[in-house]
Amino acid sequence: VTSLAAIHAFVSASHDVTRWEFSAFAHQILPQNSGFKAVIWLPRTNQAARKGFEARMQSDGLYGLKLRELTASGDLVTAATRPNYLPVSYVEPFEGNGSLIGVDLASNPIYAPLFETALRTGKAAVSPPLAHALVEGARQPIVLVAFPLNRTARAVKVNAAGPEGYALGILQLDRVIEDSFGPGAPIQAAVAYGA
């Protein structure tokens, strides 16, 4: 979790993080923590700012990018119109996961409850072990960790619209347990113990 906290601090301290800055920083952090399969930055974007977000991503080299969402059957479609979005803005590693850029997770039934918990508490929220994650090649079970981000002191009181965004980590639980308990540690016992 220290890696995600470091990425959260990096994004918090930056006025406007570019994809290249996020990539360079994440590549320094991820090798130190084998449990992380991916880290993601999701800025909050409202309907009025949607076209501007899409234009910025397109000018950053993601030509033709539009906000999308996952259907219940797992298909990617154009995101519906709604007041707020949490689109994947940056993901590392990018290779194998680049197609996630622009995918809105605000209404996704797996991810939305995690963001709601982080919004309510103003602190990092951790999911229960999950069987699925959006990133390619993640081994089950997966645990998600979301840090809400507010860059300024004015945001000590989180407003109803939510924080400025979230740093999201996708952890492979078996790797976390292996790092904590050593190779060959039974995952069921470690989960039961509360790892």
Side-chain angles (χ1 to χ4, degrees):
V1 176
T2 55
S3 289
L4 193 60
I7 290 170
H8 172 264
F10 168 71
V11 174
S12 297
S14 301
H15 176 66
D16 186 24
V17 178
T18 68
R19 179 158 54 104
W20 312 114
E21 290 172 335
F22 184 84
S23 175
F25 186 78
H27 277 95
Q28 293 174 16
I29 296 295
L30 288 175
Q32 301 173 25
N33 292 272
S34 61
F36 276 97
K37 184 63 179 175
V39 291
I40 297 172
W41 166 236
L42 302 114
R44 180 166 50 92
T45 302
N46 61 31
Q47 176 60 31
R50 176 175 176 168
K51 287 192 183 301
F53 173 85
E54 292 172 339
R56 282 191 305 278
M57 292 293 101
Q58 291 172 16
S59 68
D60 201 22
L62 300 169
Y63 307 109
L65 181 133
K66 300 287 184 187
L67 285 190
R68 297 162 295 151
E69 63 188 3
L70 281 167
T71 65
S73 60
D75 297 320
L76 274 175
V77 298
T78 300
T81 300
R82 51 182 163 265
N84 292 295
Y85 305 93
L86 285 172
V88 174
S89 185
Y90 311 128
V91 58
E92 287 298 334
F94 185 81
E95 186 176 341
N97 299 311
S99 62
L100 294 178
I101 303 295
V103 175
D104 174 45
L105 300 183
S107 62
N108 185 288
I110 294 174
Y111 294 84
L114 185 69
F115 301 134
E116 289 167 9
T117 300
L119 169 61
R120 188 176 65 253
T121 64
K123 300 178 181 177
V126 182
S127 76
L130 302 169
H132 302 286
L134 291 175
V135 297
E136 185 175 289
R139 294 199 311 265
Q140 302 175 12
I142 301 298
V143 174
L144 308 173
V145 185
F147 278 92
L149 168 64
N150 287 299
R151 286 190 176 92
T152 60
R154 64 176 164 74
V156 170
K157 180 181 178 184
V158 178
N159 62 37
E164 292 181 42
Y166 297 88
L168 178 68
I170 298 177
L171 292 163
Q172 295 178 121
L173 198 53
D174 63 338
R175 296 300 297 270
V176 174
I177 291 168
E178 184 177 301
D179 288 349
S180 300
F181 293 92
I187 192 167
Q188 294 84 0
V191 170
Y193 180 74

